[in-house]
Every structure is written in C-alpha cells, then in structure tokens.
Amino acid sequence: MNEVIGVPGKAISPARGIPMWALGVVALTIEFALWLWLLVLPVVQHRGVAAGILCLVLGPLLLRLLIAFASYVVSRVKGIEIPAELRLGPISWCRFFMAEYLQLCVQNLLLIPFRTLFRTAAERGDTQGGGRVLLLQHGYLNNGGVWFPTTKALSAMGYRVFTSDQPAFASIDAMGAKLAARIDEVLAATGAGRLTLVAHSMGGLVCRAYLRSFGGDKVEALVTMGSPHHGTFHAFVANGENGHQMRPGNAWLRELSEAVVPVPFTSIYSVHDTVISPQDSSVMPGANNVRISAIGHVSMPGGARARDVLVRELGRLHAREAS
C-alpha cells in the first residue's frame, strides 16, 4: 500500500501486518492443541471420552473467566473511586461481570477468528438509501467482527454501516493512515460527502491520529467508547508499538493531546470499565463526555446497553449537524 500524505504534509505508510482474524485462528489452534495434549487426552485415558469432551469445552471457558476477572481486579486497583450512587450490589455486579465475560467469550472464540462471516449489510453491497454513513473502528487485538450485534441494529435503523480492520501490532499513526484509505473507500461506495466515526478503545486514538494528520473535512463527528485518551495501566502488558503508545504519560500520547479534534466529539466512558484504568482516562477536554455505569470494556462494541447509549448520542450529534 502506498504512502498517504496527511494535512501537515508528512508521508505515513498505512499499517501492515498479520490480520487479526488470522492471528485469532492461529491462537485458537495452538490453544486447543495444548488443551488436547495437556488435559483432554489424559482425561480420556482415565475417565473416558465424555469427560474429555467436557474438559475441552470447560477449559477455554474457565481460562477466559480468569482473564476477565484478573482484568477487573486490575481495573479496580488502578481505577477511580466509584461514586457511591453508582456502586453495584452483589446481584448487579454478577449481572455486570457475566455480561462482560460472555462478550469476551463470543468475541474471542467466534467474532474475531471468523470475522469474514460477520460483514455488515453495506459491506455486502447494500449501500442504497439516504441513511447517514457510519464507519466503526475497533480496538486493540480486535477486528470489525466485534461490532457485529451493533452493526446489525444500526443497519436496521437505516444507517449505512461499515467497519475498519487494522493489523494486530502497528503504530497508531500507521493505523490512522489505513483508516484514511478506508474512509475514501466508504465515501466512494456510498456517494456520501462525509461520515461519522465510531470507535472503541484504541480505535479512538486511531481516529484522533487520523484527524490530526488528515483533518476533519470528510468526518461529520467522532464518538469514542472506552478509549484510553490519556493511556491505561493495562497497556504495560500490551505488545507492539500500538500497545506501548497507550501507556500513560508517554511522549506519543502527549503529542496527540496537543492536537484539537476538529469535529464534534463525544467520549462515552464507564466507571466500571474493566480495561481502561483509570476509567477517567477517557474524559477529554472539549468533548461531550458521557458517563455510564455497570457496563464493562469488552461489552461496549456489542452489548445492548452500550448500544442504546451510542444510538442516543448519535441522534444528538446528527440533530445538531442538521440544525
């Protein structure tokens, strides 16, 4: 892919690398091979086939339960103090955590590795109609598949919805250049003059990097959901240049913060975010900061409650644009 010239005149090579669906398939293949070797086959020998199959099902689910809980614990240790009126009781906490855990399982075991099955209606060629155009940008180690429940709902509401895929480990500036190419593709396919960017997690930084380099002429508005605008403690265990760029206080984030977002900007964040720590890292000066609760980080791109908030904020932004 050729270099793209941004507004400041600096050439940026669009992000290249292993697609996340391929990385997801490889990771799952290795994981299940290890489960078979280390657990399932020994159990089959001593307990029978039924017990082995049960272990093959429960093993991956228990592993992801531990990952979800560990992430939650870190988010609380390094997170903000939750206001008393937003704290969850035992039953509410169980509902919140189970929703987060189930979203993690669905994304990790289905939506990401089998991404090609989860294209939007517009991506399958249905670009007719006059609905506003949305381009959804995923976060770290995800792909556009994680948005699938939300893209279905938004498409049913009349939006023309597209997604943008990024490689696993590249600089966020290079991802911004790849997003620029995707924006041009979407505008050409729909005939629209501008579109609205919706981003989850690291995707919010990708969109801001795009806007810093290429300006906002092609963008109506930006909505970020659970984005680490000031970094996250979780990034200290993240690999790749993009992972390092999300660490709090790093030079790249400081430089990005100096660039004003040139379009109407809403930042949706949850006080119960399980990955952005501290949670108020998502609060941005000059943005419409929308605080929510009882919704975890992984639940934001596909969860119904987060989607309701997104739809409401999109309505407000577009009503303001129309007035």
Side-chain angles (χ1 to χ4, degrees), residues 94-118:
C94 287
R95 289 199 196 101
F96 147 78
F97 183 77
M98 284 305 298
E100 184 78 344
Y101 166 62
L102 291 174
Q103 286 287 338
L104 175 64
C105 291
V106 170
Q107 292 177 15
N108 196 238
L109 297 171
L110 180 64
L111 297 178
I112 293 173
F114 303 105
R115 192 269 185 273
T116 190
L117 301 176
F118 302 106

PDB file of all heavy atoms in Angstrom, residues 94-118:
ATOM      1  N   CYS A  94     -22.865  -9.255  39.655  1.00  0.00           N
ATOM      2  CA  CYS A  94     -22.844 -10.542  38.961  1.00  0.00           C
ATOM      3  C   CYS A  94     -23.383 -10.402  37.539  1.00  0.00           C
ATOM      4  O   CYS A  94     -22.824 -10.975  36.596  1.00  0.00           O
ATOM      5  CB  CYS A  94     -23.645 -11.580  39.743  1.00  0.00           C
ATOM      6  SG  CYS A  94     -22.832 -12.151  41.257  1.00  0.00           S
ATOM      7  N   ARG A  95     -24.467  -9.627  37.376  1.00  0.00           N
ATOM      8  CA  ARG A  95     -25.008  -9.394  36.035  1.00  0.00           C
ATOM      9  C   ARG A  95     -23.978  -8.671  35.149  1.00  0.00           C
ATOM     10  O   ARG A  95     -23.767  -9.045  33.991  1.00  0.00           O
ATOM     11  CB  ARG A  95     -26.283  -8.553  36.116  1.00  0.00           C
ATOM     12  CG  ARG A  95     -27.490  -9.270  36.689  1.00  0.00           C
ATOM     13  CD  ARG A  95     -28.759  -8.516  36.296  1.00  0.00           C
ATOM     14  NE  ARG A  95     -29.898  -8.914  37.088  1.00  0.00           N
ATOM     15  CZ  ARG A  95     -30.391  -8.230  38.110  1.00  0.00           C
ATOM     16  NH1 ARG A  95     -29.850  -7.068  38.457  1.00  0.00           N
ATOM     17  NH2 ARG A  95     -31.435  -8.676  38.779  1.00  0.00           N
ATOM     18  N   PHE A  96     -23.367  -7.636  35.725  1.00  0.00           N
ATOM     19  CA  PHE A  96     -22.360  -6.859  35.002  1.00  0.00           C
ATOM     20  C   PHE A  96     -21.189  -7.753  34.582  1.00  0.00           C
ATOM     21  O   PHE A  96     -20.765  -7.746  33.418  1.00  0.00           O
ATOM     22  CB  PHE A  96     -21.882  -5.710  35.892  1.00  0.00           C
ATOM     23  CG  PHE A  96     -20.441  -5.318  35.709  1.00  0.00           C
ATOM     24  CD1 PHE A  96     -20.053  -4.539  34.628  1.00  0.00           C
ATOM     25  CD2 PHE A  96     -19.469  -5.711  36.631  1.00  0.00           C
ATOM     26  CE1 PHE A  96     -18.725  -4.183  34.454  1.00  0.00           C
ATOM     27  CE2 PHE A  96     -18.149  -5.353  36.468  1.00  0.00           C
ATOM     28  CZ  PHE A  96     -17.770  -4.588  35.375  1.00  0.00           C
ATOM     29  N   PHE A  97     -20.675  -8.556  35.514  1.00  0.00           N
ATOM     30  CA  PHE A  97     -19.497  -9.354  35.216  1.00  0.00           C
ATOM     31  C   PHE A  97     -19.816 -10.476  34.233  1.00  0.00           C
ATOM     32  O   PHE A  97     -19.020 -10.768  33.327  1.00  0.00           O
ATOM     33  CB  PHE A  97     -18.889  -9.930  36.496  1.00  0.00           C
ATOM     34  CG  PHE A  97     -17.625 -10.705  36.247  1.00  0.00           C
ATOM     35  CD1 PHE A  97     -16.436 -10.035  36.006  1.00  0.00           C
ATOM     36  CD2 PHE A  97     -17.634 -12.090  36.215  1.00  0.00           C
ATOM     37  CE1 PHE A  97     -15.266 -10.739  35.738  1.00  0.00           C
ATOM     38  CE2 PHE A  97     -16.478 -12.801  35.957  1.00  0.00           C
ATOM     39  CZ  PHE A  97     -15.288 -12.129  35.722  1.00  0.00           C
ATOM     40  N   MET A  98     -20.969 -11.111  34.372  1.00  0.00           N
ATOM     41  CA  MET A  98     -21.328 -12.183  33.453  1.00  0.00           C
ATOM     42  C   MET A  98     -21.516 -11.651  32.038  1.00  0.00           C
ATOM     43  O   MET A  98     -21.141 -12.312  31.059  1.00  0.00           O
ATOM     44  CB  MET A  98     -22.587 -12.893  33.933  1.00  0.00           C
ATOM     45  CG  MET A  98     -22.354 -13.829  35.103  1.00  0.00           C
ATOM     46  SD  MET A  98     -21.054 -15.064  34.775  1.00  0.00           S
ATOM     47  CE  MET A  98     -21.766 -15.955  33.389  1.00  0.00           C
ATOM     48  N   ALA A  99     -22.095 -10.459  31.908  1.00  0.00           N
ATOM     49  CA  ALA A  99     -22.238  -9.857  30.581  1.00  0.00           C
ATOM     50  C   ALA A  99     -20.871  -9.609  29.958  1.00  0.00           C
ATOM     51  O   ALA A  99     -20.648  -9.886  28.769  1.00  0.00           O
ATOM     52  CB  ALA A  99     -23.032  -8.553  30.674  1.00  0.00           C
ATOM     53  N   GLU A 100     -19.937  -9.107  30.759  1.00  0.00           N
ATOM     54  CA  GLU A 100     -18.581  -8.845  30.277  1.00  0.00           C
ATOM     55  C   GLU A 100     -17.885 -10.151  29.880  1.00  0.00           C
ATOM     56  O   GLU A 100     -17.244 -10.245  28.825  1.00  0.00           O
ATOM     57  CB  GLU A 100     -17.794  -8.115  31.375  1.00  0.00           C
ATOM     58  CG  GLU A 100     -16.389  -7.691  30.981  1.00  0.00           C
ATOM     59  CD  GLU A 100     -16.352  -6.436  30.125  1.00  0.00           C
ATOM     60  OE1 GLU A 100     -17.391  -6.029  29.575  1.00  0.00           O
ATOM     61  OE2 GLU A 100     -15.260  -5.873  29.994  1.00  0.00           O
ATOM     62  N   TYR A 101     -18.019 -11.155  30.703  1.00  0.00           N
ATOM     63  CA  TYR A 101     -17.391 -12.452  30.445  1.00  0.00           C
ATOM     64  C   TYR A 101     -17.955 -13.100  29.178  1.00  0.00           C
ATOM     65  O   TYR A 101     -17.203 -13.608  28.335  1.00  0.00           O
ATOM     66  CB  TYR A 101     -17.589 -13.356  31.657  1.00  0.00           C
ATOM     67  CG  TYR A 101     -17.292 -14.810  31.412  1.00  0.00           C
ATOM     68  CD1 TYR A 101     -16.016 -15.228  31.043  1.00  0.00           C
ATOM     69  CD2 TYR A 101     -18.294 -15.773  31.537  1.00  0.00           C
ATOM     70  CE1 TYR A 101     -15.747 -16.564  30.808  1.00  0.00           C
ATOM     71  CE2 TYR A 101     -18.028 -17.108  31.303  1.00  0.00           C
ATOM     72  CZ  TYR A 101     -16.759 -17.505  30.941  1.00  0.00           C
ATOM     73  OH  TYR A 101     -16.499 -18.828  30.709  1.00  0.00           O
ATOM     74  N   LEU A 102     -19.258 -13.074  29.023  1.00  0.00           N
ATOM     75  CA  LEU A 102     -19.876 -13.685  27.844  1.00  0.00           C
ATOM     76  C   LEU A 102     -19.472 -12.952  26.561  1.00  0.00           C
ATOM     77  O   LEU A 102     -19.230 -13.585  25.528  1.00  0.00           O
ATOM     78  CB  LEU A 102     -21.397 -13.701  27.998  1.00  0.00           C
ATOM     79  CG  LEU A 102     -21.932 -14.660  29.066  1.00  0.00           C
ATOM     80  CD1 LEU A 102     -23.438 -14.496  29.231  1.00  0.00           C
ATOM     81  CD2 LEU A 102     -21.589 -16.114  28.727  1.00  0.00           C
ATOM     82  N   GLN A 103     -19.384 -11.621  26.630  1.00  0.00           N
ATOM     83  CA  GLN A 103     -18.923 -10.869  25.462  1.00  0.00           C
ATOM     84  C   GLN A 103     -17.490 -11.248  25.106  1.00  0.00           C
ATOM     85  O   GLN A 103     -17.144 -11.395  23.923  1.00  0.00           O
ATOM     86  CB  GLN A 103     -19.018  -9.360  25.731  1.00  0.00           C
ATOM     87  CG  GLN A 103     -20.420  -8.797  25.713  1.00  0.00           C
ATOM     88  CD  GLN A 103     -21.004  -8.713  24.316  1.00  0.00           C
ATOM     89  OE1 GLN A 103     -20.277  -8.696  23.326  1.00  0.00           O
ATOM     90  NE2 GLN A 103     -22.319  -8.670  24.223  1.00  0.00           N
ATOM     91  N   LEU A 104     -16.642 -11.424  26.115  1.00  0.00           N
ATOM     92  CA  LEU A 104     -15.257 -11.834  25.869  1.00  0.00           C
ATOM     93  C   LEU A 104     -15.212 -13.184  25.162  1.00  0.00           C
ATOM     94  O   LEU A 104     -14.467 -13.375  24.194  1.00  0.00           O
ATOM     95  CB  LEU A 104     -14.492 -11.906  27.190  1.00  0.00           C
ATOM     96  CG  LEU A 104     -13.057 -12.441  27.106  1.00  0.00           C
ATOM     97  CD1 LEU A 104     -12.187 -11.521  26.272  1.00  0.00           C
ATOM     98  CD2 LEU A 104     -12.463 -12.615  28.500  1.00  0.00           C
ATOM     99  N   CYS A 105     -16.013 -14.135  25.629  1.00  0.00           N
ATOM    100  CA  CYS A 105     -16.034 -15.467  25.019  1.00  0.00           C
ATOM    101  C   CYS A 105     -16.517 -15.412  23.575  1.00  0.00           C
ATOM    102  O   CYS A 105     -15.913 -16.024  22.680  1.00  0.00           O
ATOM    103  CB  CYS A 105     -16.918 -16.404  25.837  1.00  0.00           C
ATOM    104  SG  CYS A 105     -16.249 -16.839  27.462  1.00  0.00           S
ATOM    105  N   VAL A 106     -17.611 -14.694  23.340  1.00  0.00           N
ATOM    106  CA  VAL A 106     -18.166 -14.616  21.989  1.00  0.00           C
ATOM    107  C   VAL A 106     -17.180 -13.953  21.030  1.00  0.00           C
ATOM    108  O   VAL A 106     -16.954 -14.423  19.905  1.00  0.00           O
ATOM    109  CB  VAL A 106     -19.514 -13.859  22.006  1.00  0.00           C
ATOM    110  CG1 VAL A 106     -19.984 -13.547  20.588  1.00  0.00           C
ATOM    111  CG2 VAL A 106     -20.572 -14.671  22.745  1.00  0.00           C
ATOM    112  N   GLN A 107     -16.571 -12.855  21.459  1.00  0.00           N
ATOM    113  CA  GLN A 107     -15.624 -12.156  20.600  1.00  0.00           C
ATOM    114  C   GLN A 107     -14.392 -13.009  20.322  1.00  0.00           C
ATOM    115  O   GLN A 107     -13.947 -13.152  19.181  1.00  0.00           O
ATOM    116  CB  GLN A 107     -15.208 -10.829  21.241  1.00  0.00           C
ATOM    117  CG  GLN A 107     -16.315  -9.796  21.305  1.00  0.00           C
ATOM    118  CD  GLN A 107     -15.880  -8.521  22.003  1.00  0.00           C
ATOM    119  OE1 GLN A 107     -14.685  -8.286  22.193  1.00  0.00           O
ATOM    120  NE2 GLN A 107     -16.835  -7.694  22.389  1.00  0.00           N
ATOM    121  N   ASN A 108     -13.838 -13.578  21.382  1.00  0.00           N
ATOM    122  CA  ASN A 108     -12.575 -14.290  21.280  1.00  0.00           C
ATOM    123  C   ASN A 108     -12.696 -15.618  20.545  1.00  0.00           C
ATOM    124  O   ASN A 108     -11.792 -16.021  19.800  1.00  0.00           O
ATOM    125  CB  ASN A 108     -12.024 -14.510  22.690  1.00  0.00           C
ATOM    126  CG  ASN A 108     -10.563 -14.875  22.689  1.00  0.00           C
ATOM    127  OD1 ASN A 108     -10.191 -15.920  23.205  1.00  0.00           O
ATOM    128  ND2 ASN A 108      -9.733 -14.028  22.117  1.00  0.00           N
ATOM    129  N   LEU A 109     -13.803 -16.308  20.743  1.00  0.00           N
ATOM    130  CA  LEU A 109     -13.965 -17.648  20.172  1.00  0.00           C
ATOM    131  C   LEU A 109     -14.722 -17.661  18.847  1.00  0.00           C
ATOM    132  O   LEU A 109     -14.673 -18.661  18.130  1.00  0.00           O
ATOM    133  CB  LEU A 109     -14.696 -18.557  21.174  1.00  0.00           C
ATOM    134  CG  LEU A 109     -13.962 -18.816  22.492  1.00  0.00           C
ATOM    135  CD1 LEU A 109     -14.874 -19.543  23.467  1.00  0.00           C
ATOM    136  CD2 LEU A 109     -12.676 -19.586  22.269  1.00  0.00           C
ATOM    137  N   LEU A 110     -15.414 -16.570  18.517  1.00  0.00           N
ATOM    138  CA  LEU A 110     -16.265 -16.572  17.327  1.00  0.00           C
ATOM    139  C   LEU A 110     -16.059 -15.352  16.427  1.00  0.00           C
ATOM    140  O   LEU A 110     -15.657 -15.482  15.271  1.00  0.00           O
ATOM    141  CB  LEU A 110     -17.733 -16.661  17.754  1.00  0.00           C
ATOM    142  CG  LEU A 110     -18.775 -16.685  16.637  1.00  0.00           C
ATOM    143  CD1 LEU A 110     -18.625 -17.942  15.793  1.00  0.00           C
ATOM    144  CD2 LEU A 110     -20.186 -16.593  17.219  1.00  0.00           C
ATOM    145  N   LEU A 111     -16.336 -14.170  16.940  1.00  0.00           N
ATOM    146  CA  LEU A 111     -16.409 -12.988  16.085  1.00  0.00           C
ATOM    147  C   LEU A 111     -15.060 -12.595  15.484  1.00  0.00           C
ATOM    148  O   LEU A 111     -14.990 -12.210  14.315  1.00  0.00           O
ATOM    149  CB  LEU A 111     -16.985 -11.808  16.873  1.00  0.00           C
ATOM    150  CG  LEU A 111     -18.425 -11.978  17.377  1.00  0.00           C
ATOM    151  CD1 LEU A 111     -18.857 -10.754  18.173  1.00  0.00           C
ATOM    152  CD2 LEU A 111     -19.379 -12.225  16.222  1.00  0.00           C
ATOM    153  N   ILE A 112     -13.994 -12.670  16.266  1.00  0.00           N
ATOM    154  CA  ILE A 112     -12.682 -12.252  15.765  1.00  0.00           C
ATOM    155  C   ILE A 112     -12.088 -13.284  14.804  1.00  0.00           C
ATOM    156  O   ILE A 112     -11.731 -12.941  13.669  1.00  0.00           O
ATOM    157  CB  ILE A 112     -11.721 -11.939  16.931  1.00  0.00           C
ATOM    158  CG1 ILE A 112     -12.209 -10.698  17.687  1.00  0.00           C
ATOM    159  CG2 ILE A 112     -10.294 -11.708  16.420  1.00  0.00           C
ATOM    160  CD1 ILE A 112     -11.440 -10.387  18.956  1.00  0.00           C
ATOM    161  N   PRO A 113     -11.965 -14.563  15.180  1.00  0.00           N
ATOM    162  CA  PRO A 113     -11.343 -15.516  14.246  1.00  0.00           C
ATOM    163  C   PRO A 113     -12.163 -15.786  12.991  1.00  0.00           C
ATOM    164  O   PRO A 113     -11.605 -16.083  11.935  1.00  0.00           O
ATOM    165  CB  PRO A 113     -11.179 -16.787  15.094  1.00  0.00           C
ATOM    166  CG  PRO A 113     -12.151 -16.655  16.203  1.00  0.00           C
ATOM    167  CD  PRO A 113     -12.246 -15.195  16.487  1.00  0.00           C
ATOM    168  N   PHE A 114     -13.496 -15.671  13.083  1.00  0.00           N
ATOM    169  CA  PHE A 114     -14.353 -15.941  11.923  1.00  0.00           C
ATOM    170  C   PHE A 114     -14.962 -14.643  11.399  1.00  0.00           C
ATOM    171  O   PHE A 114     -16.114 -14.602  10.982  1.00  0.00           O
ATOM    172  CB  PHE A 114     -15.429 -16.956  12.307  1.00  0.00           C
ATOM    173  CG  PHE A 114     -14.839 -18.245  12.826  1.00  0.00           C
ATOM    174  CD1 PHE A 114     -14.876 -18.536  14.184  1.00  0.00           C
ATOM    175  CD2 PHE A 114     -14.220 -19.135  11.971  1.00  0.00           C
ATOM    176  CE1 PHE A 114     -14.317 -19.709  14.671  1.00  0.00           C
ATOM    177  CE2 PHE A 114     -13.654 -20.306  12.442  1.00  0.00           C
ATOM    178  CZ  PHE A 114     -13.699 -20.605  13.800  1.00  0.00           C
ATOM    179  N   ARG A 115     -14.145 -13.627  11.378  1.00  0.00           N
ATOM    180  CA  ARG A 115     -14.567 -12.275  11.042  1.00  0.00           C
ATOM    181  C   ARG A 115     -15.282 -12.188   9.688  1.00  0.00           C
ATOM    182  O   ARG A 115     -16.236 -11.434   9.516  1.00  0.00           O
ATOM    183  CB  ARG A 115     -13.319 -11.372  11.024  1.00  0.00           C
ATOM    184  CG  ARG A 115     -13.610  -9.884  10.962  1.00  0.00           C
ATOM    185  CD  ARG A 115     -13.676  -9.343   9.559  1.00  0.00           C
ATOM    186  NE  ARG A 115     -13.828  -7.914   9.533  1.00  0.00           N
ATOM    187  CZ  ARG A 115     -14.980  -7.273   9.577  1.00  0.00           C
ATOM    188  NH1 ARG A 115     -16.111  -7.945   9.682  1.00  0.00           N
ATOM    189  NH2 ARG A 115     -15.043  -5.954   9.511  1.00  0.00           N
ATOM    190  N   THR A 116     -14.827 -12.975   8.706  1.00  0.00           N
ATOM    191  CA  THR A 116     -15.397 -12.881   7.359  1.00  0.00           C
ATOM    192  C   THR A 116     -16.890 -13.206   7.321  1.00  0.00           C
ATOM    193  O   THR A 116     -17.596 -12.802   6.393  1.00  0.00           O
ATOM    194  CB  THR A 116     -14.638 -13.807   6.393  1.00  0.00           C
ATOM    195  OG1 THR A 116     -15.052 -13.542   5.056  1.00  0.00           O
ATOM    196  CG2 THR A 116     -14.883 -15.272   6.724  1.00  0.00           C
ATOM    197  N   LEU A 117     -17.394 -13.909   8.330  1.00  0.00           N
ATOM    198  CA  LEU A 117     -18.815 -14.252   8.392  1.00  0.00           C
ATOM    199  C   LEU A 117     -19.669 -13.097   8.912  1.00  0.00           C
ATOM    200  O   LEU A 117     -20.899 -13.173   8.859  1.00  0.00           O
ATOM    201  CB  LEU A 117     -19.024 -15.468   9.301  1.00  0.00           C
ATOM    202  CG  LEU A 117     -18.294 -16.755   8.922  1.00  0.00           C
ATOM    203  CD1 LEU A 117     -18.529 -17.821   9.984  1.00  0.00           C
ATOM    204  CD2 LEU A 117     -18.741 -17.237   7.548  1.00  0.00           C
ATOM    205  N   PHE A 118     -19.028 -12.050   9.394  1.00  0.00           N
ATOM    206  CA  PHE A 118     -19.766 -11.013  10.116  1.00  0.00           C
ATOM    207  C   PHE A 118     -19.601  -9.637   9.475  1.00  0.00           C
ATOM    208  O   PHE A 118     -19.371  -8.635  10.148  1.00  0.00           O
ATOM    209  CB  PHE A 118     -19.318 -10.989  11.586  1.00  0.00           C
ATOM    210  CG  PHE A 118     -19.513 -12.314  12.274  1.00  0.00           C
ATOM    211  CD1 PHE A 118     -18.434 -13.128  12.564  1.00  0.00           C
ATOM    212  CD2 PHE A 118     -20.786 -12.763  12.591  1.00  0.00           C
ATOM    213  CE1 PHE A 118     -18.607 -14.359  13.178  1.00  0.00           C
ATOM    214  CE2 PHE A 118     -20.980 -13.992  13.195  1.00  0.00           C
ATOM    215  CZ  PHE A 118     -19.885 -14.794  13.489  1.00  0.00           C
TER     216      PHE A 118
END
